[in-house]
Amino acid sequence: MRVSLEQAIAALKKGEVVAIPTETVYGLAADATNDAALKKIFSTKQRPADHPLIVHISDISQVVDWVTDFPEVAVKLAKAFWPGALTLVLPAKPHVSRVVRGDEPTVALRVPNHPLALALLKQGGLSVAAPSANLFTQLSPTTSAHVEAGLGEAIPVLDGGACNVGIESTIISVAADGQWQLLRPGMISEAEIAKVAGVSQRAKIISAEHHEIQTTPKVPGQHALHYSPRTPLSLYKDRQALLAACNALQNTNKSCAALLIGAGDVPDCNVINLPGQPEKVAEQLYSALHALDAMKVHRLLVELPPATAEWMAVLDRLTRAGHQ
Ligand code: TXA
Ligand code: MG
């Protein structure tokens, strides 16, 4: 159900959930200071309660309302990248809802770079917790139609068009001593972070290539099975391997559809071609996966981009989608 900005603000103030656009993905928002409203996020998404939420604020001046420490490194990162696709995990003030924190001693904060999201936060005088507006483990939405397809027509949606970053924000935790760690790769790269924040001794990365999730630091809510279409999905390091797999499936009368990076075709197989630049692939990735899923074939075949730093965030999402 599409709602206006004013209706979205009114619903949030009444303790309802509303799907809102951000530049990364659509979020399922609720008033971050209202525990009853926050619990509706978890029930709507069917998400486990120990998964903390990101609090969306309208500008950097609000950070001090939420945290006990705002180290210089974090201030620099916020100034460099907000509004934008960067989430900062910082030591939480004791009053911050345990529902938002998932019982962690920290809270995740972000100023989104989307005019409607910012208008909602500013005009409403609101801070909203918002995970991606999809059922737990399923594909994130980058259009209002994706939200409605995943969560049903009854969900109020503020339509802000297609998200232009397309994958979830980069998450960086900054400890009180200023040491930082990458918790989730996103389109703001670790190299860009290091340029602003300096090199951190504690910097440790979630490995995109090996599907591995580092257990130290603790990254709650980062499941291997995440961002998945319903159709089984296989990943291929090169085009030839994908073509061979497609051929083998067809020989057993199984249908498939393929996602290719760059131009090209696969015989007797529906193909979505994404352009060969990381930013473009990120922007279109979830839409392409939603479209492939809707083809109702036996298996999706995905060509992986090269395992280089610029592709890290896209590789991370694809390896999670393929982890089944
Ligand atoms: O781009 C985004 O970040 C989108 C849009 C809507 O802003 N939101 C999003 O939220 O991706 P979600 O719930 O799908 O992912 C939030 C992740 C959690 O799974 C967890 O890994 C991390 O943020 N997180 C949140 N609070 C944390 C905390 N206190 N400590 C460590 N990680 C935290
Ligand atoms: Mg999510």
Side-chain angles (χ1 to χ4, degrees):
M1 179 183 45
R2 308 287 162 99
V3 295
S4 66
L5 180 60
E6 290 69 28
Q7 288 171 321
I9 290 171
L12 288 166
K13 288 192 164 170
K14 270 200 309 199
E16 300 301 328
V17 293
V18 178
I20 63 164
T22 81
E23 79 281 31
T24 57
V25 300
Y26 273 71
L28 186 64
D31 179 348
T33 62
N34 178 339
D35 277 1
L38 292 166
K39 284 181 184 155
K40 291 182 190 167
I41 292 180
F42 289 87
S43 56
T44 305
K45 278 184 62 89
Q46 297 163 20
R47 173 173 167 129
D50 61 351
H51 285 220
L53 304 173
I54 296 170
V55 177
H56 298 69
I57 54 177
S58 63
D59 66 72
I60 189 172
S61 69
Q62 293 179 348
V63 172
V64 291
D65 298 342
W66 297 89
V67 306
T68 52
D69 291 278
F70 194 13
E72 190 52 37
V73 163
V75 174
K76 280 191 195 159
L77 288 172
K79 284 187 175 155
F81 296 109
W82 283 355
L86 174 69
T87 295
L88 292 172
V89 172
L90 296 163
K93 280 198 165 147
H95 73 78
V96 178
S97 162
R98 300 179 81 83
V99 185
V100 164
R101 292 191 271 134
D103 270 343
E104 296 295 317
T106 49
V107 61
L109 298 172
R110 174 165 111 80
V111 179
N113 188 18
H114 189 289
L116 271 184
L118 285 171
L120 177 130
L121 298 171
K122 284 188 178 140
Q123 283 179 39
L126 286 160
S127 303
V128 300
S132 50
N134 53 283
L135 291 179
F136 182 59
T137 76
Q138 292 188 359
L139 280 177
S140 299
T142 56
T143 66
S144 49
H146 294 159
V147 176
E148 288 164 344
L151 295 180
E153 299 284 333
I155 285 286
V157 187
L158 179 61
D159 185 4
C163 306
N164 61 21
V165 173
I167 62 175
E168 298 81 356
S169 59
T170 304
I171 304 182
I172 301 285
S173 75
V174 185
D177 65 3
Q179 293 286 323
W180 60 270
Q181 290 172 291
L182 176 64
L183 299 187
R184 178 174 72 184
M187 293 313 287
I188 297 174
S189 70
E190 198 191 15
E192 287 174 88
I193 298 290
K195 233 184 252 172
V196 175
V199 175
S200 170
Q201 260 114 52
R202 250 182 263 158
K204 212 178 237 173
I205 296 167
I206 302 157
S207 162
E209 227 185 318
H210 301 106
H211 310 191
E212 272 165 19
I213 295 135
Q214 305 263 359
T215 45
T216 16
K218 191 161 173 253
V219 186
Q222 287 282 13
H223 275 231
L225 181 60
H226 218 135
Y227 316 114
S228 302
R230 287 162 207 262
T231 316
L233 181 153
S234 304
L235 305 168
Y236 300 93
K237 287 223 160 92
D238 58 61
R239 185 80 50 101
Q240 231 168 353
L242 186 149
L243 289 168
C246 178
N247 204 17
L249 281 168
Q250 287 165 350
N251 286 341
T252 56
N253 285 326
K254 296 257 169 35
S255 56
C256 52
L259 183 70
L260 301 182
I261 310 288
D265 213 358
V266 181
D268 300 318
C269 177
N270 277 321
V271 170
I272 294 183
N273 298 90
L274 294 181
Q277 297 99 1
E279 289 73 23
K280 297 247 168 68
V281 172
E283 183 182 356
Q284 296 170 35
L285 183 67
Y286 288 133
S287 264
L289 290 173
H290 278 285
L292 289 166
D293 210 12
M295 291 176 189
K296 303 268 176 254
V297 292
H298 288 106
R299 185 163 287 273
L300 304 180
L301 312 178
V302 173
E303 179 181 36
L304 289 171
T308 56
E310 56 171 1
W311 288 100
M312 175 153 187
V314 167
L315 273 170
D316 172 75
R317 301 313 187 274
L318 282 175
T319 50
R320 288 170 198 279
H323 194 96
Q324 51 198 336

